[in-house]
Amino acid sequence: MLNRLDLRGVPLADLGASLPRPVVDGDAPVEAVRDIIAAVRAEGDAALRRFADQFDGGAPAQFRVDDEALTRAWDGLAPGLRDALRVAHDSIEAFHRTQRRSPEHHEYAGMVVEGIQQPVDRAGCYVPGGRAAYPSTVLMTAVPAKVAGVSEVCLCVPPAADGAIADVTLAAAHLAGVDEVYAVGGAQAVAAMAYGTEEIPAVDVIAGPGNVYVAIAKREVAGDVGVAAAFAGPSEIVVIADATAPVPFAAIDVVVQAEHGPGGLAWLITWDDAVAAAVTEEVGRIALASPRHDDIAATLAEGGYAVVVDSPEAAVEVANRIAPEHLQLMVDDPRALLSGVRHAGAVFCGPLSPASVGDYVAGPSHVLPTNGTARFAGALTVDDFCKDIHVITLDQDAIDGVAEAVAAIADAEGLPAHAQSARMRTSATRADDPT
């Protein structure tokens, strides 16, 4: 089930050129997404209904789910699952509260600068559907937004063929305090949240993972609306394992992210031939026995690799070149390898720290960068739902001290009004001209 890739003997500097990567954004999906966005901007709900007929098997009578349905879903949930969602919610909330920043206060040369963190007014969360229900993603997007202080949080979820949204998803929305839920999915949902329709008011920030079309849509609307995190597309996992790694643990963790379906990555990297062979065999056994065999097989066919390298250093360098969403260091001394990790969405250390814990209850959001964007981006955080406002105050001594520097730079830029606005406030100028 895993494609074999032998990189032994390849210099570290040349490893990047030897790595296969899936193509996720050719011209066809980009053009399709642009057409969808343009239609939603021009036609609003009429376009959403047309796309629902085309992609979802029909449009619901109304896109917004009744608030009472969220309450009923929560009340009807099995007690064990309700408790599990509470555990996840409380862990996510507790972690994200550590990200709230106190107002900043800075003084230099008599100037007082204050930094105030303010939330956006309205946030939109996208939660995938179709292949599975994802109540965890509801919590991982809506809870950080609520902790940030966002007053209105809406949620878009692709409906099932009957137009309904899974009760467990609605229950999670109730628990997270989501204000509005809409049965809309795909690139059209991103467009609706970005620009608004008759039924769906526009938002200030969009967050959440999705398939390649959803990820491209968020990239297309960025700039017109805030887009949290980076390219949160098909799921990715890289497991670095040595001979101390329990083979069943390494194999199941390669399979875990492949469950989400095609388009992602599921890699094992090792410097031990025996580990590569044993894990590959176990991955095949797990995949064949899985009820999600088709999704796993589709992912592994194009994005599943067992990579053999010369050394632990080479393994980490391969991982850095991939910049995966999830990186597991299933080795004897994970901390020794961690110091070399430069690019990853989240890192899990040791055999008892699977990425699945991060998916549900560790606390940090599982909305992570994919498609190599971990080179410059990180996980969804409270900051993605806030902006910094700077408050600047000068007294007479302060403006006297900096006015000539302001004026000199302004004069050099050919902006005389800028220069004059500073000079006219100095003590000397005001003494000469009291008006």
Side-chain angles (χ1 to χ4, degrees):
M1 298 292 285
L2 293 178
N3 302 290
R4 174 85 170 196
L5 182 60
D6 194 331
L7 298 180
R8 287 174 292 189
V10 178
L12 288 179
D14 297 334
L15 285 172
S18 305
L19 302 178
R21 295 301 302 267
V23 176
V24 299
D25 61 348
D27 290 341
V30 172
E31 290 305 316
V33 166
R34 288 175 178 169
D35 289 345
I36 289 171
I37 292 172
V40 173
R41 294 189 74 173
E43 305 170 42
D45 286 343
L48 295 184
R49 295 192 178 283
R50 187 169 70 253
F51 292 131
D53 290 336
Q54 181 178 349
F55 300 124
D56 301 327
Q62 62 179 32
F63 292 114
R64 183 166 178 177
V65 178
D66 290 337
D67 294 342
E68 293 79 8
L70 276 65
T71 304
R72 287 196 304 271
W74 175 255
D75 291 341
L77 214 58
L81 180 53
R82 195 160 54 226
D83 291 344
L85 289 176
R86 282 199 188 98
V87 168
H89 173 278
D90 292 351
S91 180
I92 296 164
E93 183 180 59
F95 174 80
H96 285 89
R97 287 198 180 281
T98 69
Q99 297 180 339
R100 288 304 308 264
R101 290 187 274 117
S102 300
E104 301 164 348
H105 185 93
H106 170 72
E107 293 188 28
Y108 180 76
M111 296 179 289
V112 177
V113 181
E114 300 163 89
I116 301 173
Q117 189 183 54
Q118 289 284 14
V120 300
D121 291 335
R122 184 172 168 82
C125 299
Y126 185 88
V127 172
R131 285 186 169 85
Y134 294 103
S136 60
T137 302
V138 176
L139 301 180
M140 292 288 186
T141 53
V143 172
K146 286 294 185 179
V147 170
V150 178
S151 56
E152 294 180 8
V153 176
C154 80
L155 181 71
C156 280
V157 187
D162 61 0
I165 295 173
D167 280 348
V168 68
T169 301
L170 297 179
H174 172 83
L175 176 61
V178 171
D179 299 285
E180 305 153 26
V181 177
Y182 297 96
V184 182
Q188 58 271 28
V190 174
M193 289 189 286
Y195 303 109
T197 69
E198 296 88 338
E199 193 172 339
I200 304 175
V203 303
D204 302 307
V205 168
I206 298 174
N211 64 20
V212 64
Y213 292 91
V214 170
I216 291 172
K218 289 194 296 176
R219 190 171 63 190
E220 290 292 314
V221 303
D224 290 333
V225 66
V227 174
F231 194 94
S235 195
E236 302 172 347
I237 182 74
V238 169
V239 177
I240 297 179
D242 65 11
T244 69
V247 168
F249 289 8
I252 194 69
D253 290 344
V254 169
V255 169
V256 161
Q257 300 305 324
E259 280 191 316
H260 290 293
L265 298 177
W267 286 39
L268 168 76
I269 307 175
T270 184
W271 47 96
D272 189 315
D273 255 329
V275 171
V279 174
T280 297
E281 181 178 355
E282 184 69 4
V283 164
R285 188 194 67 77
I286 294 170
L288 287 173
S290 172
R292 298 184 68 84
H293 170 266
D294 291 346
D295 286 330
I296 294 169
T299 300
L300 298 183
E302 294 187 359
Y305 285 87
V307 185
V308 183
V309 294
D310 289 314
S311 64
E313 293 75 21
V316 172
E317 185 57 28
V318 170
N320 282 327
R321 297 302 182 98
I322 298 169
E325 179 186 21
H326 305 93
L327 173 62
Q328 287 188 216
L329 304 180
M330 207 174 297
V331 297
D332 181 52
D333 186 1
R335 290 283 162 179
L337 292 191
L338 183 61
S339 62
V341 175
R342 303 189 306 277
H343 310 306
V347 183
F348 301 84
C349 293
L352 301 181
S353 307
S356 55
V357 172
D359 283 343
Y360 298 120
V361 300
S365 178
H366 72 201
V367 181
L368 299 166
T370 67
N371 193 37
T373 56
R375 292 177 295 107
F376 56 84
L380 180 72
T381 69
V382 164
D383 281 349
D384 288 307
F385 298 101
C386 297
K387 68 271 188 183
D388 287 347
I389 300 175
H390 294 131
V391 181
I392 301 166
T393 307
L394 280 71
D395 60 16
Q396 191 64 63
D397 288 342
I399 190 65
D400 286 348
V402 301
E404 280 309 312
V406 172
I409 296 171
D411 286 339
E413 293 184 350
L415 300 172
H418 283 66
Q420 181 63 13
S421 73
R423 287 190 175 116
M424 69 190 301
R425 287 175 165 82
T426 64
S427 297
T429 302
R430 293 175 67 186
D432 292 340
D433 183 7
T435 62

